[in-house]
Amino acid sequence: MRPKNLIKEEAIRSIALQIIADEGLENLSMQKLAKAAGISPRTIYIKYENKEDLLVKLFIEEVLGAYEKAILKNFDPAAPFAEGVQKLWLNGFNYLINNRHAFALLQHGKASPLLNRAFQQKNIKEGDFFGPIHQFLTLNVEAGIIKDFPQEIHRALLFSPILDLVAEYFDYQTRPQQIITPETILACCEAVTQGILIPKK
Amino acid sequence: MRPKNLIKEEAIRSIALQIIADEGLENLSMQKLAKAAGISPRTIYIKYENKEDLLVKLFIEEVLGAYEKAILKNFDPAAPFAEGVQKLWLNGFNYLINNRHAFALLQHGKASPLLNRAFQQKNIKEGDFFGPIHQFLTLNVEAGIIKDFPQEIHRALLFSPILDLVAEYFDYQTRPQQIITPETILACCEAVTQGILIPKK
DNA sequence: TTTGTAAGTAAGCAAACGTTTACTTACTTT
DNA sequence: AAAGTAAGTAAACGTTTGCTTACTTACAAA
């Protein structure tokens, strides 16, 4: 039997991400995608049930999956708090600035009800997506090193600035000087863990 | 001459926001909007040039404008740092949890290239959108109270967690117990300004 | 009361939408 | 070499899209 063309399968995914990043989720159509990938619309339906199925799989597998893998690379949940947070920040920041298309869909994931629902169902079915981070935070709360907030709050406080900083990074790429670099990130990371107030002498 | 029906004008905007919040930006169509508002599609085009014009005006005027107004209510740029940040957090959080539809489009604004572009152009033309916040941060940097980061970085560190906390607030509304309340927000606000590390004795 | 003007509608345009049918191509197994 | 099978395509299905035309309604000025 004829083997499936893995190159085309990869093309569908990467070109879909590209269109979403450049024109927005609302401007992605199956016809446009097929044309850009140089294939027939029908071919997409061999691999994906329908448009929603394609979007959900793109988001969960291609984007969230890869992001999780990248952010947890060489991360040790038992590491000292500041060191662990720094690792996660650098991993996350570096991955996202080098994967603009994945970043774009990640942003859409927070806005689109479809993707939001898919993420929650995935989390319920397979347990915590970013397990080692959960473990890391629990350890540090139990050791009395960080304040005793629920996981979701810790995550919002510690990690949501990263996405905005990445967005600023891309904005500034189109202007005279870059103000957000990987070096900047270390200072931001410290500010988040220790606060941005300058301690009184 | 026939006066324009202000009720219908308001209906277009509020129902558009509702559809976007419930079904996503990618599922809003002019026909669906007209039907839901009980008017002819043509009527929308009396008030808005096209679909993009409608979306941009909704986002800039209806959502960003109202959000700015709400967040700056009773805010004094000359107030002490912790007090000022607390005010902004409470204003922002309370506005967003009471305006789910506006919150949804705000999230889309970070993901959609169209809305993103519109926001940047608006910012360039009319100067800083959240002027008093700019002033507030500048004052505190100059007084040596907070670290000397660029405005954009301060804003990402100080305010981006709010949106994620609001998202969690809405998520938890559909589940057994609410973990994020206006009272929680004060603790989060303190954690962001002073850090979440527990100081060593 | 007539006239001018803007608001609003019903109906429908071409184009694009997501999806499917009928078919061809390429490869494996017999 | 023939049969079998999955991959892939061209063309088009019916629907919906953004948007427009032709018309009616409601009001203010003359």
Side-chain angles (χ1 to χ4, degrees), chain A residues 56-77:
Chain A
V56 168
K57 283 185 178 151
L58 261 184
F59 178 56
I60 300 286
E61 295 167 16
E62 197 86 359
V63 172
L64 273 181
Y67 183 51
E68 183 186 27
K69 204 177 156 189
I71 213 173
L72 293 178
K73 194 172 181 182
N74 296 325
F75 170 71
D76 177 15

Side-chain angles (χ1 to χ4, degrees), chain A residues 23 38-39 43 70 84 87 93 97 123 125 156 158 160 171 176 187:
Chain A
E23 306 179 41
I39 55 168
T43 305
K87 186 83 192 167
F93 185 77
I97 63 172
N123 249 351
K125 258 196 287 181
L158 278 172
S160 46
D171 283 354

Side-chain angles (χ1 to χ4, degrees), chain A residues 43-56:
Chain A
T43 305
I44 305 174
Y45 287 90
I46 293 170
K47 302 166 205 299
Y48 304 97
E49 206 180 315
N50 51 38
K51 193 184 182 183
E52 292 203 349
D53 182 45
L54 166 65
L55 289 176
V56 168

Side-chain angles (χ1 to χ4, degrees), chain A residues 92-146:
Chain A
F93 185 77
N94 282 321
Y95 174 76
L96 292 174
I97 63 172
N98 289 306
N99 293 271
R100 186 174 67 87
H101 299 164
F103 172 65
L105 187 50
L106 209 60
Q107 296 278 59
H108 277 286
K110 291 194 179 190
S112 155
L114 170 72
L115 299 182
N116 233 318
R117 239 178 291 129
F119 177 62
Q120 269 166 254
Q121 281 173 11
K122 166 97 179 169
N123 249 351
I124 290 166
K125 258 196 287 181
E126 308 189 13
D128 221 352
F129 217 111
F130 295 83
I133 295 181
H134 186 110
Q135 202 186 330
F136 174 66
L137 291 172
T138 305
L139 279 172
N140 279 281
V141 167
E142 284 172 355
I145 291 166
I146 59 172

Side-chain angles (χ1 to χ4, degrees), chain A residues 110 145 152 172 194 198, chain B residues 110 145 152 164 172 194 198:
Chain A
K110 291 194 179 190
I145 291 166
E152 293 82 356
Y172 276 95
Q194 295 171 26
I198 296 172
Chain B
K110 292 196 177 190
I145 292 167
E152 292 83 355
D164 276 13
Y172 276 95
Q194 295 171 28
I198 297 171

